[in-house]
Protein backbone atom coordinates (compact mmCIF):
# COMPACT_ATOMS: atom_id res chain seq x y z
CA UNK A 1 0.00 0.00 0.00
CA UNK A 2 1.35 3.47 -0.90
CA UNK A 3 1.19 6.52 1.40
CA UNK A 4 -2.25 7.37 0.04
CA UNK A 5 -4.65 4.79 1.47
CA UNK A 6 -6.61 2.97 -1.21
CA UNK A 7 -10.34 2.98 -0.89
CA UNK A 8 -11.20 0.19 -3.25
CA UNK A 9 -10.04 -1.99 -6.08
CA UNK A 10 -10.37 -0.72 -9.68
CA UNK A 11 -13.50 -2.01 -11.37
CA UNK A 12 -14.53 -2.35 -15.02
CA UNK A 13 -16.36 0.99 -14.88
CA UNK A 14 -13.10 2.69 -13.79
CA UNK A 15 -11.33 1.13 -16.76
CA UNK A 16 -14.14 2.25 -19.11
CA UNK A 17 -13.88 5.80 -17.71
CA UNK A 18 -10.24 5.95 -18.84
CA UNK A 19 -11.26 6.16 -22.53
CA UNK A 20 -9.08 8.79 -24.20
CA UNK A 21 -7.26 9.58 -20.93
CA UNK A 22 -4.04 8.30 -19.35
CA UNK A 23 -3.23 5.00 -21.09
CA UNK A 24 -4.43 1.91 -19.23
CA UNK A 25 -1.60 -0.35 -18.02
CA UNK A 26 -2.44 -4.06 -18.24
CA UNK A 27 -0.46 -7.28 -17.83
CA UNK A 28 -1.26 -10.96 -17.45
CA UNK A 29 -0.78 -12.96 -14.24
CA UNK A 30 -1.65 -16.57 -13.49
CA UNK A 31 -0.21 -17.05 -10.01
CA UNK A 32 -0.31 -15.32 -6.62
CA UNK A 33 3.40 -14.34 -6.48
CA UNK A 34 3.34 -12.73 -9.93
CA UNK A 35 0.02 -10.98 -9.25
CA UNK A 36 1.38 -9.60 -5.95
CA UNK A 37 4.38 -8.11 -7.80
CA UNK A 38 2.21 -6.44 -10.47
CA UNK A 39 -0.68 -5.22 -8.35
CA UNK A 40 0.59 -1.76 -7.36
CA UNK A 41 1.74 -0.81 -10.85
CA UNK A 42 -1.00 -1.97 -13.18
CA UNK A 43 -4.63 -0.99 -13.69
CA UNK A 44 -5.84 -4.34 -14.97
CA UNK A 45 -4.56 -7.89 -14.51
CA UNK A 46 -5.78 -10.44 -17.02
CA UNK A 47 -5.76 -14.09 -16.03
CA UNK A 48 -5.41 -15.00 -19.69
CA UNK A 49 -5.91 -18.41 -21.22
CA UNK A 50 -2.38 -17.86 -22.57
CA UNK A 51 -1.54 -19.70 -19.33
CA UNK A 52 -2.09 -22.90 -21.31
CA UNK A 53 0.96 -22.09 -23.44
CA UNK A 54 3.03 -20.13 -20.92
CA UNK A 55 2.53 -22.25 -17.77
CA UNK A 56 1.40 -25.64 -19.06
CA UNK A 57 3.45 -25.83 -22.27
CA UNK A 58 0.49 -26.40 -24.64
CA UNK A 59 0.97 -25.47 -28.33
CA UNK A 60 -2.24 -23.42 -28.35
CA UNK A 61 -4.83 -22.18 -25.85
CA UNK A 62 -7.45 -24.65 -27.08
CA UNK A 63 -6.79 -27.22 -24.33
CA UNK A 64 -7.35 -24.85 -21.42
CA UNK A 65 -10.29 -25.78 -19.16
CA UNK A 66 -12.68 -23.73 -17.05
CA UNK A 67 -11.36 -25.41 -13.89
CA UNK A 68 -7.82 -24.30 -14.75
CA UNK A 69 -8.99 -20.70 -15.26
CA UNK A 70 -10.92 -20.74 -11.99
CA UNK A 71 -7.99 -22.12 -9.98
CA UNK A 72 -5.59 -19.49 -11.35
CA UNK A 73 -8.19 -16.70 -11.21
CA UNK A 74 -8.82 -17.39 -7.54
CA UNK A 75 -5.08 -17.25 -6.75
CA UNK A 76 -4.68 -13.92 -8.56
CA UNK A 77 -7.70 -12.28 -6.91
CA UNK A 78 -6.56 -13.46 -3.47
CA UNK A 79 -3.10 -11.91 -3.99
CA UNK A 80 -4.28 -8.48 -5.18
CA UNK A 81 -6.15 -5.48 -3.80
CA UNK A 82 -5.71 -2.73 -6.38
CA UNK A 83 -5.90 -3.97 -9.98
CA UNK A 84 -9.10 -4.86 -11.78
CA UNK A 85 -8.85 -8.64 -12.28
CA UNK A 86 -10.43 -10.12 -15.40
CA UNK A 87 -10.47 -13.86 -16.19
CA UNK A 88 -10.60 -15.36 -19.70
CA UNK A 89 -13.37 -17.78 -20.61
CA UNK A 90 -11.55 -20.67 -22.28
CA UNK A 91 -12.35 -22.33 -25.62
CA UNK A 92 -15.51 -24.42 -25.63
CA UNK A 93 -17.13 -22.87 -22.57
CA UNK A 94 -19.12 -20.00 -24.14
CA UNK A 95 -19.39 -20.16 -27.94
CA UNK A 96 -22.38 -22.51 -28.12
CA UNK A 97 -25.09 -20.24 -26.70
CA UNK A 98 -25.52 -17.23 -24.37
CA UNK A 99 -26.91 -19.44 -21.58
CA UNK A 100 -23.89 -21.74 -21.76
CA UNK A 101 -21.63 -18.69 -21.58
CA UNK A 102 -23.61 -17.35 -18.63
CA UNK A 103 -23.10 -20.56 -16.63
CA UNK A 104 -19.35 -20.54 -17.29
CA UNK A 105 -19.01 -16.82 -16.55
CA UNK A 106 -21.13 -17.05 -13.40
CA UNK A 107 -18.87 -19.82 -12.09
CA UNK A 108 -15.80 -17.66 -12.78
CA UNK A 109 -17.32 -14.65 -11.02
CA UNK A 110 -18.60 -16.60 -8.00
CA UNK A 111 -15.60 -18.89 -7.52
CA UNK A 112 -12.75 -16.43 -8.19
CA UNK A 113 -14.09 -13.04 -7.09
CA UNK A 114 -12.88 -11.52 -10.40
CA UNK A 115 -14.43 -8.25 -11.59
CA UNK A 116 -15.35 -9.59 -15.02
CA UNK A 117 -14.57 -11.98 -17.84
CA UNK A 118 -12.98 -11.72 -21.28
CA UNK A 119 -14.12 -13.65 -24.31
CA UNK A 120 -12.94 -13.76 -27.90
CA UNK A 121 -15.20 -12.92 -30.84
CA UNK A 122 -16.92 -10.05 -32.60
CA UNK A 123 -20.25 -10.01 -34.39
CA UNK A 124 -20.96 -13.68 -33.65
CA UNK A 125 -20.41 -13.19 -29.93
CA UNK A 126 -22.32 -9.89 -29.63
CA UNK A 127 -25.62 -11.54 -28.48
CA UNK A 128 -23.65 -13.42 -25.81
CA UNK A 129 -21.90 -10.26 -24.61
CA UNK A 130 -25.29 -8.54 -24.37
CA UNK A 131 -26.78 -11.51 -22.47
CA UNK A 132 -23.93 -11.47 -19.94
CA UNK A 133 -23.74 -7.72 -19.37
CA UNK A 134 -27.52 -7.50 -18.92
CA UNK A 135 -27.19 -10.12 -16.16
CA UNK A 136 -24.44 -8.40 -14.20
CA UNK A 137 -21.30 -9.82 -15.76
CA UNK A 138 -18.85 -7.21 -17.07
CA UNK A 139 -17.27 -8.32 -20.34
CA UNK A 140 -13.97 -7.36 -21.93
CA UNK A 141 -14.10 -8.15 -25.66
CA UNK A 142 -11.24 -9.46 -27.79
CA UNK A 143 -11.01 -8.96 -31.57
CA UNK A 144 -8.34 -9.00 -34.29
CA UNK A 145 -6.19 -12.08 -33.85
CA UNK A 146 -8.19 -14.53 -31.73
CA UNK A 147 -5.87 -17.32 -30.55
CA UNK A 148 -8.76 -19.69 -29.71
CA UNK A 149 -9.65 -19.71 -33.43
CA UNK A 150 -6.12 -20.57 -34.52
CA UNK A 151 -7.26 -23.82 -36.13
CA UNK A 152 -9.61 -21.94 -38.47
CA UNK A 153 -7.42 -18.87 -38.98
CA UNK A 154 -4.46 -21.09 -39.88
CA UNK A 155 -1.89 -19.61 -37.50
CA UNK A 156 -1.09 -16.53 -35.47
CA UNK A 157 -1.24 -13.98 -38.35
CA UNK A 158 -1.34 -10.18 -38.24
CA UNK A 159 -4.92 -9.05 -38.96
CA UNK A 160 -6.21 -6.22 -41.16
CA UNK A 161 -3.67 -6.32 -43.99
CA UNK A 162 -6.41 -6.53 -46.63
CA UNK A 163 -9.37 -4.15 -46.72
CA UNK A 164 -11.74 -7.09 -46.39
CA UNK A 165 -9.99 -8.23 -43.21
CA UNK A 166 -9.86 -4.67 -41.83
CA UNK A 167 -13.61 -4.27 -42.44
CA UNK A 168 -14.28 -7.48 -40.54
CA UNK A 169 -12.22 -6.40 -37.52
CA UNK A 170 -13.93 -2.97 -37.55
CA UNK A 171 -17.38 -4.60 -37.66
CA UNK A 172 -16.39 -7.01 -34.88
CA UNK A 173 -15.14 -4.26 -32.58
CA UNK A 174 -18.23 -2.11 -33.17
CA UNK A 175 -20.50 -5.09 -32.46
CA UNK A 176 -18.66 -5.83 -29.19
CA UNK A 177 -18.93 -2.20 -28.06
CA UNK A 178 -22.62 -1.97 -29.00
CA UNK A 179 -23.34 -5.17 -27.07
CA UNK A 180 -22.12 -3.57 -23.85
CA UNK A 181 -18.48 -4.62 -23.37
CA UNK A 182 -16.59 -2.24 -21.07
CA UNK A 183 -13.46 -2.44 -23.22
CA UNK A 184 -11.94 -4.44 -26.04
CA UNK A 185 -8.57 -6.10 -26.53
CA UNK A 186 -7.24 -5.64 -30.07
CA UNK A 187 -4.62 -8.26 -30.84
CA UNK A 188 -2.08 -8.24 -33.66
CA UNK A 189 -3.58 -5.79 -36.11
CA UNK A 190 -1.94 -3.29 -38.44
CA UNK A 191 -1.43 0.14 -36.90
CA UNK A 192 -3.94 2.21 -38.97
CA UNK A 193 -6.73 -0.20 -38.07
CA UNK A 194 -6.02 0.04 -34.33
CA UNK A 195 -5.86 3.83 -34.64
CA UNK A 196 -9.20 4.00 -36.50
CA UNK A 197 -10.86 1.67 -33.98
CA UNK A 198 -9.63 3.70 -31.03
CA UNK A 199 -10.96 6.89 -32.61
CA UNK A 200 -14.34 5.38 -33.49
CA UNK A 201 -15.23 3.36 -30.38
CA UNK A 202 -16.65 4.88 -27.20
CA UNK A 203 -15.01 2.13 -25.09
CA UNK A 204 -11.27 1.78 -24.41
CA UNK A 205 -9.16 -0.28 -26.78
CA UNK A 206 -6.39 -2.32 -25.15
CA UNK A 207 -3.72 -3.20 -27.65
CA UNK A 208 -1.34 -6.12 -27.92
CA UNK A 209 0.61 -5.83 -31.14
CA UNK A 210 -1.79 -3.06 -32.17
CA UNK A 211 0.25 0.16 -31.69
CA UNK A 212 0.50 3.01 -29.19
CA UNK A 213 -2.69 4.55 -30.61
CA UNK A 214 -4.77 2.29 -28.33
CA UNK A 215 -6.23 3.52 -25.03
CA UNK A 216 -4.14 0.97 -23.13
CA UNK A 217 -1.58 -1.78 -23.60
CA UNK A 218 -1.36 -5.39 -22.47
CA UNK A 219 1.49 -7.88 -22.66
CA UNK A 220 2.00 -11.39 -21.39
CA UNK A 221 4.17 -10.75 -18.31
CA UNK A 222 6.52 -13.63 -19.05
CA UNK A 223 7.27 -12.11 -22.49
CA UNK A 224 8.16 -8.68 -21.12
CA UNK A 225 10.16 -10.11 -18.20
CA UNK A 226 12.32 -12.40 -20.31
CA UNK A 227 10.76 -15.56 -18.88
CA UNK A 228 9.12 -16.74 -22.08
CA UNK A 229 11.97 -18.60 -23.76
CA UNK A 230 14.07 -17.47 -26.68
CA UNK A 231 11.27 -16.45 -29.04
CA UNK A 232 10.10 -12.87 -28.50
CA UNK A 233 7.16 -11.75 -30.65
CA UNK A 234 7.79 -8.47 -32.54
CA UNK A 235 5.23 -6.63 -30.40
CA UNK A 236 6.63 -7.74 -27.03
CA UNK A 237 9.40 -5.53 -25.67
CA UNK A 238 11.64 -7.17 -23.08
CA UNK A 239 11.96 -4.98 -19.99
CA UNK A 240 14.04 -7.52 -18.03
CA UNK A 241 16.04 -10.70 -18.51
CA UNK A 242 14.77 -12.64 -15.50
CA UNK A 243 15.21 -15.99 -17.24
CA UNK A 244 18.96 -15.45 -17.37
CA UNK A 245 18.95 -14.39 -13.70
CA UNK A 246 17.12 -17.58 -12.72
CA UNK A 247 19.46 -19.77 -14.77
CA UNK A 248 22.58 -18.29 -13.14
CA UNK A 249 21.04 -18.50 -9.63
CA UNK A 250 20.25 -22.22 -10.16
CA UNK A 251 23.78 -22.80 -11.47
CA UNK A 252 25.29 -21.14 -8.36
CA UNK A 253 23.02 -23.21 -6.07
CA UNK A 254 24.02 -26.45 -7.80
CA UNK A 255 27.71 -25.61 -7.50
CA UNK A 256 27.40 -24.79 -3.77
CA UNK A 257 25.40 -27.95 -3.00
CA UNK A 258 27.99 -30.11 -4.76
CA UNK A 259 30.87 -28.33 -2.96
CA UNK A 260 29.01 -28.62 0.42
CA UNK A 261 29.12 -24.82 0.78
CA UNK A 262 25.32 -24.73 1.05
CA UNK A 263 23.79 -24.90 3.59
CA UNK A 264 26.27 -22.83 5.62
CA UNK A 265 26.26 -22.52 9.44
CA UNK A 266 23.77 -19.60 9.19
CA UNK A 267 21.19 -21.89 7.52
CA UNK A 268 21.45 -24.74 10.07
CA UNK A 269 19.44 -25.06 13.31
CA UNK A 270 21.86 -25.33 16.25
CA UNK A 271 21.20 -27.80 19.12
CA UNK A 272 18.90 -26.45 21.88
CA UNK A 273 20.45 -25.14 25.15
CA UNK A 274 21.86 -28.01 27.23
CA UNK A 275 21.38 -30.51 24.42
CA UNK A 276 24.54 -32.34 23.41
CA UNK A 277 24.85 -33.35 19.78
CA UNK A 278 24.84 -37.15 19.32
CA UNK A 279 28.34 -38.57 19.66
CA UNK A 280 27.51 -41.92 18.03
CA UNK A 281 25.58 -42.49 14.81
CA UNK A 282 21.87 -42.95 15.51
CA UNK A 283 20.74 -46.57 15.43
CA UNK A 284 18.96 -47.52 12.27
CA UNK A 285 15.35 -48.56 12.45
CA UNK A 286 16.39 -52.16 11.73
CA UNK A 287 18.91 -52.24 14.64
CA UNK A 288 16.37 -50.74 17.04
CA UNK A 289 13.73 -53.23 16.01
CA UNK A 290 15.93 -56.29 16.58
O1 LIG B 1 -4.72 -14.93 -22.98
C1 LIG B 1 -4.13 -13.85 -22.93
O2 LIG B 1 -3.13 -13.67 -22.21
C2 LIG B 1 -4.64 -12.76 -23.75
C3 LIG B 1 -3.79 -11.55 -23.89
C4 LIG B 1 -2.62 -11.86 -24.72
C5 LIG B 1 -4.55 -10.38 -24.36
O3 LIG B 1 -5.69 -12.86 -24.30
Amino acid sequence: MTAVARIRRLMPRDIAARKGGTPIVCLTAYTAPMARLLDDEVDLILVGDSLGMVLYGFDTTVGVTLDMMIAHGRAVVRATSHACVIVDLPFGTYEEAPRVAYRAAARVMAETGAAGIKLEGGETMAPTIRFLTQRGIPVLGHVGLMPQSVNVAGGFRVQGKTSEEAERVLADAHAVAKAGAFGVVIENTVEPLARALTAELAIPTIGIGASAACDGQILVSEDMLGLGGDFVPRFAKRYAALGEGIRSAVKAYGAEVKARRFPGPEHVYPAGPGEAPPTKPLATVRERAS
Side-chain angles (χ1 to χ4, degrees), residues 28 30 46 48-50 88 118 120 142 185 187 208 218 220:
T28 60
Y30 320 122
L46 173 68
D49 64 349
S50 52
D88 256 342
K118 175 167 83 59
E120 293 180 12
H142 184 150
V185 169
E187 181 162 353
I208 175 162
I218 187 162
V220 169

Side-chain angles (χ1 to χ4, degrees), residues 156-245:
F156 297 98
R157 280 188 314 106
V158 177
Q159 304 290 300
K161 284 189 165 173
T162 64
S163 54
E164 192 188 325
E165 232 176 52
E167 286 303 325
R168 184 187 47 74
V169 178
L170 276 166
D172 277 347
H174 277 281
V176 163
K178 202 164 160 222
F182 72 87
V184 61
V185 169
I186 303 179
E187 181 162 353
N188 253 31
T189 56
V190 293
E191 200 268 351
L193 177 56
R195 187 174 294 281
L197 272 173
T198 304
E200 289 174 19
L201 295 180
I203 58 170
T205 55
I206 298 174
I208 175 162
S211 93
C214 295
D215 296 299
Q217 298 295 326
I218 187 162
L219 283 176
V220 169
S221 294
E222 282 73 4
D223 285 345
M224 62 86 87
L225 294 173
L227 285 169
D230 293 333
F231 173 71
V232 189
R234 178 188 164 101
F235 58 78
K237 180 172 173 180
R238 265 200 183 166
Y239 287 83
L242 299 192
E244 284 157 37

Side-chain angles (χ1 to χ4, degrees), residues 247-263:
R247 221 174 272 130
S248 67
V250 173
K251 203 170 170 173
Y253 168 72
E256 290 199 1
V257 167
K258 286 178 192 155
R260 295 193 192 284
R261 283 202 307 277
F262 177 82

Side-chain angles (χ1 to χ4, degrees), residues 27-128:
L27 281 171
T28 60
Y30 320 122
T31 64
M34 181 67 87
R36 216 172 279 126
L37 289 168
L38 307 185
D39 192 34
D40 272 346
E41 303 300 330
V42 304
D43 302 307
L44 185 148
I45 293 180
L46 173 68
V47 186
D49 64 349
S50 52
L51 64 80
M53 299 168 79
V54 177
L55 281 193
Y56 290 86
F58 298 168
D59 288 335
T60 71
T61 56
V62 171
V64 175
T65 67
L66 192 59
D67 285 341
M68 285 159 83
M69 296 309 301
I70 288 173
H72 289 278
R74 198 185 285 143
V76 169
V77 171
R78 211 183 281 137
T80 53
S81 60
H82 164 244
C84 176
V85 177
I86 301 297
V87 176
D88 256 342
L89 289 189
F91 177 76
T93 64
Y94 65 94
E95 302 88 334
E96 198 181 336
R99 280 171 195 279
V100 174
Y102 179 79
R103 275 193 290 275
R107 266 197 72 195
V108 168
M109 300 292 286
E111 295 179 37
T112 68
I117 59 95
K118 175 167 83 59
L119 56 79
E120 293 180 12
E123 285 185 300
T124 359
M125 280 302 132
T128 296

